[in-house]
Amino acid sequence: MTETPHLSLKFEQLEKAKQIAQNSVPKIQRVPHHLRDRENFAKHYLPRLVSIGPIHHGAEKLQLGEKYKLMWAAMYLERTKQDAQTLYQKIASNIEQLKDLFAEDVIRDFPDDEKLSWSWMLFVDGCSLLQILEKGELQDPKEMNVKVDQLVLVWQDVLLLENQLPYHVLKLLSDHEDDAKLVKSMNEFLKCHHLSPELRSKKQDIGNSMTKDEHRYA
């Protein structure tokens, strides 16, 4: 069989596809179209008050959330007694590695691809998210300087599929010296939504125990 230049290109693309599959790692990405088309599925990925990360950053209806995030970032820095410029530099110095944790189309479609814009967005969103995780308690909303109903929306937005940050961003900005304390704060937040891995494990153990009892008395 005679191989034409066009066919040669096809074989090259086939080989590259294999390499992509072997080297691919999970990345933060948009919800695929086959899920977007489902009725009432938008509530699982579209934020209503606060954007976290680049996918919905700058959306007109989320401008109030931008003001809130800046306030929460300032509160986080004051509470943890960390220097804003030092933390920002940590993000800026690692920005290429951090951007690589997002899908290519997310990087491409970000409103401004300049290093400054990415670094500032991840810095503010990361600091504000840490403040939410550690101080966003419904029984004490004054810690976030918002109303309870707004804080409920924030809780919901933080868990959305297209509203995520890489763990490494939080690690760079955290005032905790080790990962264990950061992970604990994340798990404590998830417990409020009954999503903690620890709680899921306990529920599974209870379920297994009940199953054994059913077999015992059957």
Side-chain angles (χ1 to χ4, degrees), residues 25-40:
V25 295
K27 297 190 177 188
I28 294 175
Q29 55 191 290
R30 287 185 172 85
V31 169
H33 289 291
H34 71 274
L35 292 178
R36 286 179 178 276
D37 294 339
R38 291 187 178 184
E39 187 177 0
N40 300 321

Side-chain angles (χ1 to χ4, degrees), residues 128-212:
S128 62
L129 180 55
L130 286 168
Q131 181 70 5
I132 293 168
L133 293 177
E134 297 174 4
K135 293 296 179 179
E137 299 180 5
L138 292 181
Q139 61 268 30
D140 196 11
K142 70 176 183 294
E143 289 280 357
M144 300 293 292
N145 198 24
V146 292
K147 298 177 181 178
V148 173
D149 59 332
Q150 292 175 315
L151 190 53
V152 170
L153 289 179
V154 173
W155 274 26
Q156 295 170 350
D157 284 348
V158 166
L159 299 172
L160 296 177
L161 296 173
E162 292 186 348
N163 234 21
Q164 303 296 317
L165 287 180
Y167 174 75
H168 192 48
V169 170
L170 300 185
K171 186 176 178 180
L172 287 170
L173 298 172
S174 175
D175 65 322
H176 300 311
E177 295 181 358
D178 56 65
D179 287 3
K181 291 183 179 180
L182 176 57
V183 171
K184 182 180 179 181
S185 69
M186 296 167 69
N187 282 334
E188 289 296 324
F189 179 83
L190 292 174
K191 280 182 182 179
C192 297
H193 300 271
H194 308 289
L195 295 172
S196 168
E198 179 183 337
L199 289 179
R200 287 203 299 268
S201 177
K202 288 181 179 178
K203 287 181 180 179
Q204 186 175 8
D205 290 342
I206 293 172
N208 291 339
S209 177
M210 291 174 65
T211 303
K212 290 177 181 176

